């Protein structure tokens, strides 16, 4: 248990720390197992201190949006992720979809109001959405907030960053006579595991050389917000793991996951709801294009026929998956809709995959563009340089002044693949008019 949660002191740049923007600062981040690494520098000129924090959601699900971070009077600021630090006088915060996270709270209750006041206060210097999808969710969430202008003044979008290993394409000389697909996701239903095994089943039915890896702890139903909760609904999909062309690997360490992705023709993320889709980034970083759904943040980097295959789904106004309603997940109509979508997506996926079987010349451009996307949009070096500069600027700001973006330096990530990326349409299924 952490003790003495004294507030960190004001870090007034030259006034409080005696350093300029180019000098090294001490930046506190959350010491979690995985997520924070995607939104903070992989390497930095500053000293990044991974600090313990109290996961207050273990106390109550109503407190998942806040935390107490291990105090350190030497830090210049805290870079938080999702959880609002209650005991920091200067922080920036990245978030995945909603901020504050108040899913279990009454929207107009005292705790929800307090969390909104924390991110509206001058102590919160920047709000960083993980995607333009997350930005839309945030603005929709705060549409009736009288302080939405204050929030928007410090709101930007920065995509996550990923390690892009200095490796050649392991499949460069592969003949693609058998397509290898790899699905990664603990949430088997939500992230598209059902679609993956249905692809394998359809491949057997049509005598197609397609093999599917499944890396998953097979979590389904219950608290997973997209999943039907009808008893036994997922049994039919779990049974397909025994198919001769499916290999269920269970849970693997990250280096083993990447190895499988590296030796696959496509990564699968046929998701029904994702705050971003880190497995897709890791797939692309290994030269492997992605078979995904056109939902949430994926359209910001997955271009159909360019660096993968993007399957359409019905969306709501912010770009999330449309469904009969999360409150009806136990109803037969919800289960039927989910099952029909799995069937449709698997059928379309097989049709889109067939032209690549035995066609390495068609696969090669997809693989080049997938790797290029990872390097250009998610490379850890430019992300680290941006964040280093941001930390330096924020350390010089007075927390008595309103927080506002620097229009020249606080630049958001693009909403789609850059037009000057040199991308070309390589999908044999697409016509010029469709492109």
């Amino acid at each position: 248990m952490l003790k003495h949660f004294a507030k960190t002191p004001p870090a007034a740049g030259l006034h409080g720390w005696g350093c300029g923007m180019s000098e090294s600062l001490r930046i506190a981040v959350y010491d979690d197992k995985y997520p924070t690494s995607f939104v903070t520098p992989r390497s930095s000129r500053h000293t990044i201190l991974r600090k313990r924090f109290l996961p207050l959601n273990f106390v109550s699900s109503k407190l998942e949006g806040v935390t107490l971070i291990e105090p350190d009077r030497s830090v210049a600021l805290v870079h938080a992720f999702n959880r609002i630090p209650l005991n920091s006088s200067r922080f920036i915060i990245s978030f995945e979809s909603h901020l504050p996270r108040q899913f279990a709270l009454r929207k107009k209750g005292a705790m929800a109001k307090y969390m909104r006041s924390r991110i509206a206060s001058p102590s919160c210097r920047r709000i960083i959405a993980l995607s333009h999808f997350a930005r839309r969710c945030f603005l929709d969430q705060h549409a009736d907030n009288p302080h939405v202008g204050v929030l928007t003044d410090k709101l930007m979008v920065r995509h996550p960053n990923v390690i892009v290993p200095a490796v050649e394409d392991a499949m460069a000389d592969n003949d693609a006579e058998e397509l290898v697909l790899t699905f990664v996701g603990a949430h088997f239903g939500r992230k598209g595991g059902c679609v993956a095994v249905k692809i394998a089943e359809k491949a057997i039915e049509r005598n197609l050389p397609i093999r599917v890896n499944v890396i998953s702890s097979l979590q389904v139903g219950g608290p997973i917000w997209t999943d039907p909760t009808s008893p036994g609904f997922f049994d039919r999909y779990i049974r397909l793991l025994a198919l001769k062309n499916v290999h269920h690997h269970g849970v693997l360490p990250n280096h083993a996951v990447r190895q499988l992705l590296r030796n696959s023709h496509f990564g699968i993320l046929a998701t029904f709801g994702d705050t971003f889709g880190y497995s897709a980034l890791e797939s692309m970083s290994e030269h492997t294009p992605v078979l995904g759904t056109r939902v949430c943040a994926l359209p910001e980097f997955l271009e159909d026929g360019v660096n993968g295959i993007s399957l359409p789904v019905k969306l709501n106004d912010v770009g999330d998956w449309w469904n009969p309603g999360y409150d009806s997940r136990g109803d037969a109509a919800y289960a039927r809709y989910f099952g029909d979508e799995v069937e449709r997506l698997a059928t379309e996926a097989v049709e889109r995959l067939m032209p690549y079987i035995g066609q390495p010349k068609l696969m090669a451009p997809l693989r080049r563009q997938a790797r290029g996307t990872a390097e250009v949009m998610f490379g850890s070096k430019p992300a680290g340089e941006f964040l280093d500069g941001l930390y330096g600027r924020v350390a010089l700001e007075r927390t008595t002044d309103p927080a506002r973006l620097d229009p020249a330096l606080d630049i958001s990530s693009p909403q789609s693949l850059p037009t000057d990326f040199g991308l070309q349409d390589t999908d044999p299924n697409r016509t010029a008019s469709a492109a």
Side-chain angles (χ1 to χ4, degrees):
M1 183 67 69
L2 306 183
K3 300 179 179 179
H4 310 303
F5 285 101
K7 286 192 175 182
T8 52
L14 294 171
H15 307 284
W17 297 94
C19 65
M21 287 177 61
S22 63
E23 297 186 46
S24 179
L25 302 167
R26 290 167 64 84
I27 311 298
V29 303
Y30 297 156
D31 186 16
D32 55 26
K33 292 182 179 179
Y34 193 57
T36 289
S37 62
F38 286 94
V39 301
T40 56
R42 304 276 178 170
S43 62
S44 176
R45 74 166 185 265
H46 303 301
T47 300
I48 307 298
L49 304 170
R50 299 185 67 82
K51 293 289 188 178
R52 295 175 298 167
F53 63 95
L54 280 179
L56 293 174
N57 55 295
F58 290 162
V59 178
S60 170
S61 61
K62 296 181 179 181
L63 300 177
E64 68 171 323
V66 294
T67 191
L68 294 169
I69 186 171
E70 181 182 4
D72 186 334
R73 297 186 64 82
S74 70
V75 302
L77 61 99
V78 172
H79 186 171
F81 187 38
N82 284 334
R83 296 176 169 94
I84 301 166
L86 298 179
N87 60 324
S88 175
S89 59
R90 178 188 299 264
F91 67 95
I92 63 178
I93 185 165
S94 296
F95 71 97
E96 293 181 84
S97 61
H98 294 79
L99 187 76
R101 296 170 76 86
Q102 55 188 54
F103 307 123
L105 290 170
R106 288 189 301 109
K107 185 176 180 181
K108 296 184 179 180
M111 189 61 193
K113 182 178 180 180
Y114 172 71
M115 288 194 291
R116 290 195 297 271
S117 72
R118 276 292 287 165
I119 60 173
S121 76
S123 294
C124 177
R125 304 306 300 174
R126 298 292 189 279
I127 299 173
I128 307 175
L130 202 64
S131 63
H132 291 274
F133 164 70
R135 185 180 189 275
R136 292 193 300 272
C137 290
F138 180 85
L139 293 176
D140 181 69
Q141 178 184 359
H142 292 277
D144 60 353
N145 186 338
H147 301 294
V148 66
V150 172
L151 298 174
T152 306
D153 282 347
K154 51 187 171 183
L155 174 65
M156 73 172 99
V157 175
R158 295 300 300 187
H159 287 154
N161 72 89
V162 66
I163 294 173
V164 182
V167 294
E168 297 297 320
D169 183 359
M171 304 290 278
D173 298 322
N174 184 274
D175 59 14
E177 289 296 330
E178 178 188 55
L179 290 188
V180 179
L181 318 178
T182 295
F183 165 79
V184 183
H187 289 184
F188 181 74
R190 174 173 69 87
K191 285 182 170 286
C194 300
V195 177
V197 293
K198 286 295 289 185
I199 290 172
E201 181 184 50
K202 292 177 183 298
I204 291 175
E205 292 171 353
R206 301 176 66 168
N207 198 29
L208 297 173
I210 296 176
R211 178 161 51 91
V212 178
N213 292 310
V214 174
I215 306 171
S216 177
S217 56
L218 304 181
Q219 298 174 38
V220 296
I224 302 172
W225 69 94
T226 58
D227 285 5
T229 56
S230 303
F233 174 82
F234 287 99
D235 292 352
R236 70 186 105 164
Y237 303 108
I238 300 298
R239 284 195 292 268
L240 296 180
L241 293 170
L243 291 172
K244 63 182 181 180
N245 59 345
V246 175
H247 187 172
H248 178 215
H249 296 265
V251 179
L252 296 176
N254 187 254
H255 69 86
V257 172
R258 283 195 167 230
Q259 183 67 43
L260 278 173
L261 288 170
R262 187 178 305 146
N263 290 284
S264 300
H265 295 94
F266 289 91
I268 301 180
L269 187 61
T271 180
F272 291 95
D274 242 290
T275 52
F276 205 90
Y278 296 148
S279 67
L281 308 190
E282 293 186 326
S283 181
M284 288 182 172
S285 74
E286 300 292 350
H287 303 263
T288 301
V290 173
L291 189 161
T293 39
R294 202 170 302 150
V295 66
C296 301
L298 268 69
E300 296 174 33
F301 65 93
L302 178 59
E303 183 76 19
D304 189 40
V306 175
N307 55 13
I309 296 171
S310 181
L311 303 174
V313 295
K314 187 176 180 180
L315 305 176
N316 63 16
D317 290 343
V318 298
D320 207 349
W321 175 55
W322 185 93
N323 60 73
Y326 294 126
D327 292 337
S328 62
R329 292 193 297 128
D331 296 350
Y334 189 100
R336 187 164 51 251
Y337 183 79
F338 190 98
D340 288 347
E341 282 294 274
V342 168
E343 183 71 21
R344 178 185 64 81
L345 289 169
T347 299
E348 291 190 24
V350 170
E351 293 296 327
R352 296 294 307 278
L353 289 166
M354 286 176 59
Y356 294 102
I357 297 173
Q359 298 294 326
K361 289 184 178 180
L362 292 179
M363 284 298 313
L366 285 184
R367 298 187 70 84
R368 285 197 302 272
Q369 305 292 15
R371 171 69 176 209
T373 301
E375 292 174 348
V376 171
M377 297 189 73
F378 309 113
S380 59
K381 187 174 186 294
E385 290 172 350
F386 174 85
L387 290 167
D388 277 356
L390 177 64
Y391 296 156
R393 293 194 297 279
V394 170
L396 291 172
E397 296 173 356
R398 297 179 182 273
T399 53
T400 52
D401 295 335
R404 293 190 177 91
L405 300 180
D406 183 318
L409 299 174
D410 292 340
I411 305 300
S412 286
S413 297
Q415 297 194 46
S416 59
L417 289 179
T419 55
D420 59 352
F421 189 28
L423 298 174
Q424 53 186 341
D425 193 353
T426 56
D427 187 343
N429 290 287
R430 298 219 312 176
T431 63
S433 60

